[in-house]
Amino acid sequence: MPANTTASSPKKKKGRRARLLVIVLVLALVAGVGYGTYWSISTVRASFPQTAGTLKLDGLRGQVDVKRDNYGIPQIYADSDEDLFRAQGFVQAQDRFWEMDVRRHMTAGRLSEMFGSEQVETDAFLRTLGWRRVAQKEFDTKLTPETKKNLQAYADGVNAYLKGRGGKDLSVEYAALSFANDYKPEQWTPVDSVAWLKAMAWDLRGNMQEEIDRSLLTSRLTEKQIKELYPSYPYGRNKPIVETGGINRATGKFDPDAKPSDLSGGDGGVNSPAGAAQGLNSQLAALSKTLDTIPALLGPSGSGIGSNSWVVSGNYTTTGKPMLANDPHLAPALPSLWYQMGLHCRTVSASCQYDTAGYTFSGTPGVIIGHNQDIAWGFTNLGADVTDLYLEKLAGDSYQVGNQETKLAIRKEVIKIAGGGSKTITVRSTGHGPLVSDRSNELEKVGQKAPVSNAAPDRGAGYAVALQWTALEPGKTMDAVFELNRAKDFKTFRAAAKNFEVPSQNLVYADSKNNIGYQAPGRIPVRAQGDGTMPAPGWDPKYKWKGVIPFDELPYEYNPERGYVVTANQAVVDAEKYPYLITKDYGYGVRSQRINDLIESKVQGGGKISTEDMRTMQMDNSSEIAKLLTPYLLKIDVSDGHVREAQKLLEGWDYTQEQDSGAAAYFNGVWRNVLKLAFGNKLPKELRVEGECLNVRPADSSAPDDELSEPVRECGQRDTASAQPDGGDRWYELVRRILKDENNEWWKSPASRTDSATTTRDQLLARAMEDARWELTAKLGKDASRWSWGRLHQLTLKNQTLGTEGPGFLQFVLNRGPWNLGGGEAAVNATGWNAAGGYGVVWVPSMRMVVNVGDWDKSRWINLTGASGHAYNAHYTDQTDKWADGELLDWAYSSQAVSQKTADTLKLTP
């Protein structure tokens, strides 16, 4: 079952979800006892791909060569677009079909067909969102004939691989699954590929979780306190991506060179719904739980998460040509989300248009991130707010809009279940979008307490909650993928970006003629009223979307004077200089500013940036919060000898988080406990980590302060990867703003069984230092001199299906690790961890690349795992050790360089 499908679920539900795996384990063990040789050799190796010799591939027009290097990375050579993408489908299915099959069942809300009744709730929510339905509409009505032709060729290649294969011939997972049910893969379709883009958009959808969290916080915190927890972006300290320009009044278009006097100003869209989102705490908590059950294939959401990309002009590089770096930060997965590949026309022509290489998604044709013979490009998440939750007043099969009743759109969905049986659900939608509240028993009572003045008389069942999301409208992102692969210059690059509608990404650019650039694409809504930070009243027409930001008015840069562009999920443009609201929930710019500083320190001193410099920057482990907080920790007068021993680790520390650093281990332990004492223990249970229990005054108590209710035991409900405070750079910014205020209210914490209450900053810091000392003693031992950050901060790679949960046998077969890692939260080397949940790694640089533009064969790349999705294949995790050490592999591109690196050649013939 996919990653994170049990997040924040009751333990009973977790037990039910493990039953299928228990059955699989028992049967697999029985098979192992009776047929040990069959299981260990035949079953494991039967699905390994043929990588040399000759294979017939139906439908080919001519011979296709598949050249693989010592890491199993394929480079495909063909004479037509159709042959190229047919071979891509075949080769990706060879290495990754199980992953592809699970993905398409997830995007279609059909996981129950593979894994049984435990996945019905997840399927029901995904059917409500309707990813597959939207993908079908995109294919039918939006995509160009050329794109459709490429998608069909890819699907034909996948199906050619499936022909005559089943069970153990496809993967060891199918062999295990076949013991539990008679599941057999069906044919691949073009829409299966398009639907995957919806999953990518879902995980990069913006601030939906923050929107829910702000509402949940109202049960325990004042409006002032909530505002403090979400500080404004520090434009004066952390630079936005686009530092100059704006929308020119004269042209109505974005002009990166326009003078301030020529610009249209910004108002930021600051009018929030008044009162409509209050009193929704238990209902929105249920929605949050539902969201946690959806497979987060790209990673958890939070302020410290994102990606890095930057591009430097040839004026500042050792090669005299641009260099481009990219490392998307995603959930660790086995196999990696990415699949490295080259797609080469032997001769580029009208009938064979591609000569590109880079990182692909298994199940989707083309290259997502990489370069061709003319340009290179990279992505980071722009973080645009493209979702809104709307409260809806229902009356039977109608909902209210202004003073009128409008009929709900209603459809039935049948969910088939492995082993027989089915469940029929009803999906209801308003003009805003599907009613996500229908997928939760608790959410049926949404809004019961919402203090709005015009509540309808039938509100006994509460409000419904609808989701409006740009990705639920058909778009052209699949067209954009192929257009990017063919782009020759900045003009054609921007034309491709225009169609990259969802998810909204920061696109960086470089070309062989020494040009660099940036484009913010995407379908970003324009709100008539409201700023997207809280659920809005759906019955009030003032809060509807009134369109999207026109592409010509989206920020971009071309050859900026400073000579480089950095994107790392920071603000795109200064909100005071831009008339549209992109989001209120950018990352806070800690990583981006560190990259800016590293580049500036090199070029301002007259130095030139090399490939090795770019790699070193990607591995930068510096902790910005440690630089800020450590001087205060060293001033604390510590009387306990054991705590003083730990405090000494911080003396002379350079704030780098190497995996062997004891200082990094202790500091991060202190940081985790500072956050818990100052903020975490004051949050409602819906945001605190699951199982963490506190004695608190009931959140819904209406007693006056002099008649306080007796404390009750409340336990956290949030998954460890998404609980708060997560320790990301939003929390950095908050602590920065109160650090000099020794008596700030946030420094107050109640007494515990072993500690007295704190009322000042230094008292809380002292208590956090003591708590961290004993926490690390329990985890790493009494001798602080032997502590290391890597022993706390470990990465375990889990197969994203049968290796994610359940019995140990399959996990042993499918999973790998742990690895001790350096880096950390909001560092450039963003091996992220959630401070509320523990120190384990929950997101990573999922790949790293450094592109030498123009001298392509000197580019470098690495993947988190390897090319293969087959357990025990030589290329299952053969890149991981090097990835963990920060190494990069040579990236051959030219036909000569590829030939020199080729270890196996497979000839595909008609």
Side-chain angles (χ1 to χ4, degrees):
M1 276 147 276
N4 299 328
T5 56
T6 61
S8 294
S9 300
K11 295 189 182 299
K12 285 185 179 180
K13 190 178 294 183
K14 288 186 177 180
R16 291 197 304 270
R17 285 178 177 160
R19 287 176 193 162
L20 174 63
L21 296 183
V22 172
I23 294 170
V24 172
L25 169 65
V26 171
L27 292 172
L29 285 175
V30 169
V33 170
Y35 306 97
T37 302
Y38 174 88
W39 178 261
S40 63
I41 298 176
S42 176
T43 303
V44 171
R45 294 182 179 176
S47 58
F48 288 7
Q50 179 178 338
T51 60
T54 301
L55 281 175
K56 183 179 179 181
L57 182 58
D58 292 341
L60 286 181
R61 295 180 181 179
Q63 179 176 302
V64 175
D65 294 332
V66 182
K67 299 182 178 183
R68 294 178 183 259
D69 66 11
N70 285 325
Y71 289 89
I73 299 170
Q75 305 278 346
I76 300 176
Y77 291 85
D79 293 315
S80 70
D81 292 344
E82 188 175 357
D83 281 0
L84 192 65
F85 294 116
R86 189 183 300 266
Q88 184 182 15
F90 181 86
V91 171
Q92 288 191 337
Q94 278 188 305
D95 281 332
R96 299 283 191 94
F97 183 73
W98 168 261
E99 174 193 12
M100 293 163 58
D101 198 17
V102 173
R103 281 183 184 174
R104 68 163 162 178
H105 278 78
M106 187 269 287
T107 58
R110 296 173 55 198
L111 290 169
S112 300
E113 294 179 24
M114 296 184 77
F115 301 112
S117 60
E118 291 77 14
Q119 294 300 310
V120 167
E121 290 183 23
T122 297
D123 283 345
F125 192 82
L126 292 167
R127 295 284 186 97
T128 298
L129 294 180
W131 292 351
R132 170 76 187 206
R133 290 168 57 87
V134 179
Q136 185 70 59
K137 289 179 182 178
E138 285 187 3
F139 184 81
D140 292 341
T141 66
K142 290 290 186 178
L143 301 181
T144 67
E146 183 176 9
T147 294
K148 292 181 180 181
K149 184 178 179 181
N150 293 342
L151 286 164
Q152 186 62 58
Y154 181 91
D156 290 344
V158 176
N159 293 329
Y161 171 75
L162 292 178
K163 187 177 181 179
R165 290 182 172 89
K168 66 183 179 64
D169 296 323
L170 291 172
S171 77
V172 69
E173 291 95 335
Y174 285 114
L177 198 63
S178 67
F179 287 122
N181 61 53
D182 58 356
Y183 172 79
K184 291 181 175 59
E186 62 192 33
Q187 293 282 287
W188 193 266
T189 73
V191 179
D192 293 331
S193 297
V194 178
W196 169 240
L197 297 178
K198 298 302 172 186
M200 183 172 71
W202 175 255
D203 280 350
L204 301 174
R205 64 193 178 274
N207 77 333
M208 185 173 171
Q209 189 64 59
E210 286 82 0
E211 188 174 339
I212 293 171
D213 287 355
R214 284 188 180 93
S215 295
L216 294 172
L217 288 169
T218 60
S219 70
R220 291 212 170 275
L221 302 179
T222 66
E223 184 178 343
K224 175 178 178 292
Q225 289 172 319
I226 295 172
K227 186 175 181 179
E228 288 174 346
L229 291 184
Y230 292 88
S232 58
Y233 187 89
Y235 289 102
R237 185 186 326 110
N238 297 339
K239 298 174 183 176
I241 297 170
V242 178
E243 298 179 29
T244 60
I247 296 178
N248 194 312
R249 284 197 213 93
T251 64
K253 298 180 179 181
F254 192 90
D255 180 357
D257 300 317
K259 297 177 182 179
S261 59
D262 297 329
L263 302 180
S264 297
D267 59 20
V270 295
N271 298 315
S272 297
Q278 305 298 317
L280 301 175
N281 302 316
S282 63
Q283 298 85 359
L284 289 174
L287 175 57
S288 183
K289 285 185 180 181
T290 303
L291 297 179
D292 274 343
T293 68
I294 306 307
L297 294 180
L298 304 189
S301 62
S303 62
I305 307 168
S307 304
N308 303 321
S309 70
W310 65 94
V311 58
V312 181
S313 164
N315 297 332
Y316 298 118
T317 67
T318 56
T319 63
K321 291 289 181 72
M323 290 189 183
L324 187 150
N326 198 183
D327 56 289
H329 306 158
L330 307 173
L334 181 59
S336 167
L337 183 78
W338 300 108
Y339 185 90
Q340 295 152 290
M341 187 174 241
L343 300 172
H344 306 281
C345 290
R346 294 188 180 96
T347 301
V348 176
S349 65
S351 61
C352 198
Q353 306 173 75
Y354 298 89
D355 188 9
T356 185
Y359 294 86
T360 71
F361 288 142
S362 300
T364 302
V367 169
I368 305 299
I369 293 174
H371 71 83
N372 59 30
Q373 67 270 42
D374 297 304
I375 76 164
W377 68 93
F379 286 177
T380 63
N381 191 22
L382 191 148
D385 184 358
V386 295
T387 61
D388 275 339
L389 296 174
Y390 285 90
L391 308 181
E392 304 284 12
K393 294 181 180 180
L394 302 187
D397 289 339
S398 299
Y399 64 99
Q400 186 175 336
V401 180
N403 296 321
Q404 297 182 340
E405 295 292 323
T406 302
K407 286 291 186 181
L408 291 163
I410 299 175
R411 71 177 191 270
K412 301 289 186 181
E413 295 273 355
V414 179
I415 299 171
K416 298 179 181 178
I417 302 170
S422 64
K423 178 178 180 179
T424 300
I425 65 169
T426 300
V427 178
R428 304 187 297 169
S429 300
T430 71
H432 295 116
L435 295 182
V436 290
S437 50
D438 283 350
R439 301 283 73 88
S440 164
N441 291 332
E442 287 184 78
L443 276 165
E444 290 177 0
K445 300 179 180 179
V446 158
Q448 221 166 11
K449 301 177 184 177
V452 293
S453 59
N454 60 342
D458 62 342
R459 288 305 92 220
Y463 296 108
V465 178
L467 169 65
Q468 186 163 12
W469 176 34
T470 56
L472 297 184
E473 292 294 325
K476 300 180 179 180
T477 300
M478 198 70 244
D479 284 344
V481 171
F482 294 112
E483 290 166 352
L484 275 174
N485 285 202
R486 299 191 304 264
K488 301 292 186 182
D489 51 29
F490 195 62
K491 181 180 179 180
T492 50
F493 168 79
R494 290 193 73 208
K498 184 175 183 179
N499 286 332
F500 206 101
E501 296 172 325
V502 291
S504 187
Q505 298 288 286
N506 296 307
L507 270 64
V508 293
Y509 167 92
D511 65 38
S512 56
K513 295 181 180 179
N514 203 17
N515 299 301
I516 65 171
Y518 162 82
Q519 177 67 56
R523 188 187 298 158
I524 303 173
V526 177
R527 295 167 177 83
Q529 187 164 321
D531 60 11
T533 60
M534 297 280 272
W539 57 88
D540 189 339
K542 291 197 298 287
Y543 289 95
K544 69 182 296 183
W545 291 358
K546 60 179 185 180
V548 297
I549 302 174
F551 180 77
D552 285 343
E553 299 179 43
L554 288 169
Y556 76 95
E557 284 190 314
Y558 186 56
N559 292 327
E561 185 177 347
R562 65 183 175 278
Y564 58 88
V565 178
V566 174
T567 84
N569 316 110
Q570 78 270 40
V572 171
V573 64
D574 192 326
E576 294 185 1
K577 301 176 183 178
Y578 189 67
Y580 296 110
L581 172 67
I582 295 178
T583 184
K584 289 282 188 176
D585 290 299
Y586 285 121
Y588 282 78
V590 168
R591 279 182 292 108
S592 61
Q593 192 55 44
R594 175 62 177 172
I595 297 167
N596 270 296
D597 292 344
L598 290 169
I599 294 172
E600 288 179 4
S601 67
K602 187 79 173 181
V603 302
Q604 288 183 354
K608 298 285 187 178
I609 293 176
S610 67
T611 304
E612 178 61 15
D613 291 330
M614 299 283 274
R615 185 201 68 82
T616 301
M617 291 178 195
Q618 288 181 325
M619 294 304 296
D620 183 80
N621 288 327
S622 178
S623 170
E624 294 301 306
I625 190 59
K627 293 178 185 177
L628 181 69
L629 193 56
T630 299
Y632 290 85
L633 300 178
L634 290 174
K635 292 178 181 178
I636 301 295
D637 185 11
V638 175
S639 58
D640 185 302
H642 292 95
V643 179
R644 173 60 183 145
E645 179 189 17
Q647 185 188 37
K648 286 181 179 179
L649 294 173
L650 302 177
E651 296 175 357
W653 180 40
D654 63 359
Y655 314 120
T656 59
Q657 300 171 98
E658 302 297 336
Q659 66 91 11
D660 60 354
S661 171
Y666 182 57
F667 174 81
N668 285 317
V670 174
W671 173 238
R672 167 173 149 81
N673 281 278
V674 167
L675 291 171
K676 181 178 180 181
L677 293 170
F679 310 106
N681 291 349
K682 299 164 188 174
L683 302 181
K685 62 182 181 296
E686 295 87 359
L687 273 72
R688 298 201 315 270
V689 71
E690 184 177 13
E692 184 181 273
C693 302
L694 297 171
N695 292 322
V696 296
R697 181 188 176 196
D700 59 355
S701 174
S702 59
D705 291 342
D706 57 350
E707 299 177 14
L708 295 181
S709 305
E710 288 295 321
V712 296
R713 194 75 168 163
E714 283 190 356
C715 298
Q717 299 177 350
R718 186 66 65 82
D719 174 69
T720 55
S722 58
Q724 295 294 332
D726 60 20
D729 60 1
R730 173 163 67 90
W731 299 96
Y732 289 20
E733 185 64 21
L734 172 55
V735 170
R736 180 190 296 276
R737 295 189 183 197
I738 68 171
L739 196 52
K740 293 182 179 179
D741 182 0
E742 299 181 35
N743 299 304
N744 190 281
E745 288 292 314
W746 290 110
W747 300 125
K748 295 182 179 180
S749 64
S752 68
R753 288 182 300 173
T754 56
D755 296 286
S756 58
T758 68
T759 59
T760 68
R761 176 197 65 208
D762 288 353
Q763 288 175 354
L764 186 139
L765 294 182
R767 184 166 159 186
M769 291 171 70
E770 182 178 353
D771 289 351
R773 198 330 171 182
W774 301 120
E775 182 184 6
L776 266 63
T777 296
K779 293 179 179 295
L780 301 178
K782 187 175 181 180
D783 185 356
S785 68
R786 302 184 66 179
W787 291 352
S788 70
W789 174 225
R791 287 173 58 205
L792 276 179
H793 190 54
Q794 292 186 325
L795 168 68
T796 297
L797 290 173
K798 294 187 176 183
N799 180 283
Q800 295 300 286
T801 51
L802 299 181
T804 302
E805 58 177 276
F809 172 78
L810 287 175
Q811 294 197 25
F812 174 79
V813 170
L814 299 172
N815 298 343
R816 300 292 182 271
W819 283 264
N820 296 345
L821 298 184
E825 183 71 28
V828 179
N829 182 22
T831 55
W833 56 288
N834 185 302
Y839 302 98
V841 176
V842 295
W843 60 87
V844 294
S846 56
M847 62 79 157
R848 299 186 184 100
M849 74 175 192
V850 177
V851 181
N852 272 262
V853 177
D855 197 354
W856 307 111
D857 290 332
K858 292 185 178 178
S859 301
R860 311 272 287 166
W861 62 353
I862 197 77
N863 204 352
L864 172 64
T865 59
S868 180
H870 300 289
Y872 295 103
N873 184 280
H875 306 305
Y876 192 49
T877 56
D878 58 339
Q879 297 185 51
T880 308
D881 286 345
K882 291 182 179 296
W883 172 92
D885 291 338
E887 297 181 38
L888 299 173
L889 303 176
D890 292 337
W891 181 355
Y893 172 73
S894 70
S895 58
Q896 181 180 1
V898 169
S899 294
Q900 290 175 350
K901 294 276 185 185
T902 297
D904 290 303
T905 299
L906 175 66
K907 296 184 183 297
L908 301 175
T909 62

